[in-house]
Amino acid sequence: MFKVSNIKQSLRFKLIIGFVVITVPLFGLMLYNNYYASNMIREQVAESNKNSMILYSHQIEAALNKETNFLYNIAVEDPNLAALPQLMDDPNEYFLAKATLISTISRYHRYDNSVDLQFIYSLRNKDFFTTQIKEPSYERMNAIKTSIENLVKEVKLDSEYFQKWKAIEYNEGKYALIRMVSTGDDFYVGAFIELENLVIPLDIIHSKEGFAGFLNQQGQLITNAGAITPNRSLSVGAKRSGDYTIVKQDDHRYIAVTNPVIGTDVILSVFVPEDQMLEDLEKFRRGIILISIGALFILVIYLIYLNDIILKPMNNLVFGMRRIKHGDWDTRLKPSKSREFAIIEETFNGMAAEIHELKINVYEEQIKAHKAELKHLQLQINPHFLLNSINIIYNLAEIKNYNVIQLMCMNLVKYFRFTTRTNQAFVTVNEEMEHMESYIKIQQVRFPERITYEIQIEEGAGEGAIPPLLIQPFIENAIKHGFDFMDHPFHISIRIRLVGQDQLEITVWDNGNGFSPEMLEKLQSGSYMEHQNGEHLGITNVQYRIKHLFGQDARLEFDNVPQAGALIRIELPFRTVEQFTSY
């Protein structure tokens, strides 16, 4: 959050925001202008074609209504059709009546090309006969007849075919309109019109590349006479605006204008290519784009100029201050082209040199103070065990256990010889573990058969350098608080290993009572160091020493082992004693 706030307050950010404020409205205006001009042209083209389509739709509707009325007249008034039910038992008369009926219907449509054929079907004797089919191809003629015959055999009186003109697919990719009328005497009279014969002429579209066709109720193009690609399948999408719809097909965009044909289930539609329609608009678009690119180029040049004169010197100054903040006192700023920034940079370099020199002096004084403090901390740890040790020897002398007294004295000599080496700031892990063995053996004398221990040192880890008496406070606390009222021996484990090539890990755990939840929370949060009053002084000394000697690379962690006791983990950078300068 702090970094984001700093970025927002920076001069660079404000200049970039200003640049964006200028350029975004410019490009927004250009885009809106293109969008508005394109929509205007689309709407004009759509309106022009819409009017033509409405006129042609009315023509189609008039022709279909005329044919529907003719079918009703035949079904109700034609005497030959009315006589057919009574002549079924006389084949000759029945055939003569059929021929007369077909002749009458054909004579009526002799000069009418809108209807392709009429048909009559008898439900009683399954007799199906039609007027002449106007098809030169036998396969197509047979497909028309078969599709109509299959339909009339299955259609019911409540079907929509008796209510309006409906589209059917009579051949693959070929559609036609069919309308039927019932005579009431088990006869159906119907008409068949191929949709391709009703498609709007292309000269009405005002576009050489466009095409017209009929859509079904699902929006699928079912006629394509005049389409650019045969068997085109177009679907009217949801991108609709006013009286037109934008359709995409084969990487081309079309402006689709539709109008339903009343009395049918089809929709008349015109498709005009958008690229052809907007061809004259491209020159206008290019002019606006060139102007915008020129303005953008000028603004970018100006931004580069501002960056070289103001932002770059300012950024160098901020970078130098950050480097100084992170302790790089050798940072110096390069001369600037601007006189004002040259004065600032000269002043900055002089101040950095003076602060660096002052920092070195203060640092040397702090090192001397830390050396004295570390020696004081070591001495503070040394006498902690003295009184208990003397008391143990006294008790052993009373019972005249001289062998144990000798063992106790030998371990005490090793212990105090190690603790009195105050001139050493670091010892090896092996030396520290030898000292810890002496300490634990003294405790074993104090608590016979109550304490066991195990020390594991990984190969190579024993040469690592650590502060003396680093582990003793944790062993001492474990023995003091860890095994009260335990039925089994109290066991202490110490494991020292290398993590990678440059990290030393020291782990101490036991099988005692572990830390209480309250104490574990204080240890993990570090709050135990705030108000000591003499408590946890050994742990505080360890934490203080490793932080001063190893810095942020040192870690001290506390936890409880599941179903066991306490666990302490210390992680230090791996170094040998020779790598440290003498304290």
Side-chain angles (χ1 to χ4, degrees):
M1 187 68 182
F2 180 72
K3 290 183 178 180
V4 173
S5 178
N6 283 346
I7 293 174
K8 289 183 178 180
Q9 297 298 326
S10 67
L11 183 60
R12 183 186 296 272
F13 179 79
K14 292 179 179 179
L15 285 175
I16 292 174
I17 290 298
F19 178 79
V20 172
V21 168
I22 294 173
T23 55
V24 169
L26 179 63
F27 278 97
L29 181 61
M30 180 193 71
L31 294 175
Y32 175 76
N33 185 65
N34 287 338
Y35 174 78
Y36 179 77
S38 300
N39 278 349
M40 286 295 296
I41 293 177
R42 291 190 189 99
E43 290 176 1
Q44 291 174 2
V45 173
E47 184 178 0
S48 174
N49 285 281
K50 185 75 171 181
N51 295 331
S52 300
M53 287 178 57
I54 292 174
L55 177 62
Y56 193 77
S57 295
H58 289 167
Q59 295 177 6
I60 295 175
E61 292 166 8
L64 294 178
N65 290 335
K66 180 181 177 182
E67 181 64 23
T68 303
N69 293 332
F70 174 75
L71 293 177
Y72 275 108
N73 289 334
I74 290 294
V76 174
E77 299 178 359
D78 191 276
N80 293 309
L81 181 60
L84 284 179
Q86 287 78 27
L87 299 176
M88 286 187 179
D89 295 332
D90 188 348
N92 295 328
E93 293 295 331
Y94 180 79
F95 179 78
L96 182 61
K98 277 175 46 176
T100 305
L101 180 60
I102 293 298
S103 176
T104 302
I105 296 175
S106 299
R107 186 169 57 253
Y108 178 81
H109 287 289
R110 182 174 299 172
Y111 304 104
D112 185 2
N113 295 324
S114 60
V115 178
D116 293 286
L117 64 92
Q118 288 80 26
F119 59 88
I120 300 173
Y121 179 69
S122 171
L123 292 174
R124 188 181 303 174
N125 60 0
K126 309 299 181 183
D127 187 17
F128 175 76
F129 52 97
T130 69
T131 60
Q132 184 180 359
I133 301 176
K134 302 174 184 179
E135 282 292 341
S137 170
Y138 174 77
E139 290 78 7
R140 191 166 177 177
M141 181 177 63
N142 185 57
I144 293 174
K145 186 174 181 180
T146 302
S147 61
I148 298 175
E149 189 173 3
N150 291 336
L151 175 64
V152 296
K153 288 180 180 179
E154 298 178 358
V155 72
K156 304 297 181 181
L157 281 175
D158 57 353
S159 172
E160 290 185 349
Y161 289 98
F162 294 94
Q163 301 170 12
K164 61 181 179 180
W165 293 85
K166 285 186 61 66
I168 66 165
E169 185 176 12
Y170 66 88
N171 201 357
E172 185 177 359
K174 299 294 183 181
Y175 289 81
L177 290 177
I178 287 186
R179 179 73 160 89
M180 288 189 288
V181 174
S182 175
T183 64
D185 295 328
D186 294 332
F187 276 87
Y188 295 159
V189 181
F192 176 95
I193 303 176
E194 290 193 59
L195 279 176
E196 286 186 356
N197 296 333
L198 297 178
V199 172
I200 183 171
L202 288 178
D203 57 353
I204 299 180
I205 305 174
H206 308 296
S207 172
K208 295 181 179 179
E209 300 296 331
F211 60 95
F214 285 99
L215 305 176
N216 58 19
Q217 294 297 319
Q218 289 73 39
Q220 299 293 326
L221 185 66
I222 58 178
T223 61
N224 51 26
I228 299 171
T229 303
N231 299 324
R232 178 184 299 275
S233 176
L234 283 169
S235 178
V236 178
K239 196 172 182 181
R240 186 179 296 274
S241 177
D243 293 332
Y244 66 88
T245 303
I246 298 176
V247 178
K248 186 176 181 182
Q249 178 70 15
D250 298 337
D251 297 329
H252 293 285
R253 287 163 61 92
Y254 296 88
I255 302 301
V257 183
T258 59
N259 187 66
V261 181
I262 299 174
T264 71
D265 63 347
V266 296
I267 302 169
L268 184 61
S269 180
V270 171
F271 297 88
V272 182
E274 189 179 58
D275 52 355
Q276 180 187 358
M277 180 183 63
L278 302 177
E279 184 177 358
D280 295 334
L281 188 62
E282 285 300 319
K283 297 179 181 179
F284 180 66
R285 283 181 174 178
R286 290 172 186 171
I288 294 178
I289 291 174
L290 289 176
I291 294 173
S292 302
I293 292 175
L296 178 63
F297 179 75
I298 294 173
L299 289 173
V300 170
I301 294 297
Y302 181 67
L303 187 62
I304 294 173
Y305 174 76
L306 287 179
N307 180 70
D308 188 56
I309 298 299
I310 299 176
L311 295 181
K312 191 174 181 181
M314 185 68 70
N315 187 54
N316 290 336
L317 179 60
V318 173
F319 177 77
M321 295 174 71
R322 287 178 178 171
R323 297 300 301 171
I324 292 292
K325 181 180 178 181
H326 287 87
D328 187 3
W329 298 101
D330 295 326
T331 300
R332 298 293 182 270
L333 299 181
K334 297 179 180 180
S336 176
K337 300 177 182 178
S338 174
R339 184 172 63 85
E340 291 79 2
F341 277 105
I343 295 173
I344 293 174
E345 289 160 356
E346 183 180 353
T347 305
F348 176 87
N349 292 337
M351 292 176 61
E354 292 177 3
I355 295 173
H356 189 196
E357 185 177 355
L358 179 62
K359 191 80 173 179
I360 291 174
N361 294 335
V362 173
Y363 185 66
E364 289 177 350
E365 292 298 325
Q366 288 178 346
I367 289 176
K368 292 179 182 179
H370 288 162
K371 286 182 178 180
E373 191 172 5
L374 286 173
K375 289 186 178 181
H376 172 72
L377 289 173
Q378 279 187 239
L379 291 173
Q380 194 176 29
I381 295 175
N382 289 335
H384 186 72
F385 193 56
L386 181 58
L387 293 178
N388 287 336
S389 301
I390 295 175
N391 186 46
I392 292 172
I393 294 175
Y394 176 80
N395 292 331
L396 291 173
E398 279 191 338
I399 62 176
K400 299 180 181 181
N401 193 342
Y402 302 115
N403 292 331
V404 179
I405 290 174
Q406 288 177 340
L407 179 62
M408 183 69 175
C409 290
M410 181 182 68
N411 287 318
L412 281 174
V413 168
K414 292 181 180 179
Y415 176 84
F416 284 108
R417 181 182 291 121
F418 184 85
T419 57
T420 54
R421 292 160 60 182
T422 58
N423 63 324
Q424 286 186 288
F426 293 92
V427 296
T428 65
V429 170
N430 290 330
E431 291 174 334
E432 178 76 4
M433 290 302 99
E434 184 178 353
H435 167 68
M436 289 313 306
E437 278 199 283
S438 299
Y439 176 79
I440 295 174
K441 286 179 180 179
I442 293 172
Q443 294 291 2
Q444 285 179 329
V445 173
R446 184 180 176 187
F447 303 103
E449 299 181 358
R450 295 289 305 280
I451 299 176
T452 61
Y453 72 95
E454 178 186 12
I455 298 176
Q456 300 178 3
I457 304 176
E458 189 180 275
E459 183 179 356
E463 299 302 321
I466 59 174
L469 304 179
L470 181 69
I471 303 175
Q472 180 180 327
F474 304 109
I475 303 299
E476 187 175 348
N477 286 339
I479 294 175
K480 183 178 179 180
H481 305 289
F483 71 104
D484 294 342
F485 309 107
M486 289 179 58
D487 297 331
H488 53 275
F490 182 68
H491 184 75
I492 300 172
S493 296
I494 303 173
R495 184 181 67 186
I496 303 173
R497 66 190 186 98
L498 290 174
V499 180
Q501 297 295 326
D502 56 355
Q503 198 75 8
L504 184 70
E505 182 186 73
I506 302 172
T507 307
V508 181
W509 73 94
D510 58 61
N511 63 344
N513 299 322
F515 299 111
S516 65
E518 296 80 8
M519 178 56 64
L520 184 60
E521 183 180 356
K522 289 181 179 181
L523 292 171
Q524 290 178 340
S525 63
S527 60
Y528 69 94
M529 298 182 64
E530 297 177 0
H531 304 288
Q532 288 291 326
N533 297 325
E535 190 177 1
H536 306 300
L537 185 60
I539 297 176
T540 303
N541 286 342
V542 171
Q543 179 79 312
Y544 189 84
R545 284 197 293 163
I546 64 176
K547 288 298 180 184
H548 276 289
L549 294 174
F550 296 96
Q552 297 302 318
D553 294 332
R555 294 176 59 188
L556 177 60
E557 299 176 353
F558 302 89
D559 203 349
N560 281 328
V561 180
Q563 307 299 326
L567 182 143
I568 297 94
R569 182 182 292 106
I570 304 171
E571 292 186 6
L572 306 171
F574 179 79
R575 301 173 189 169
T576 61
V577 176
E578 291 76 13
Q579 290 176 312
F580 285 97
T581 57
S582 176
Y583 261 56

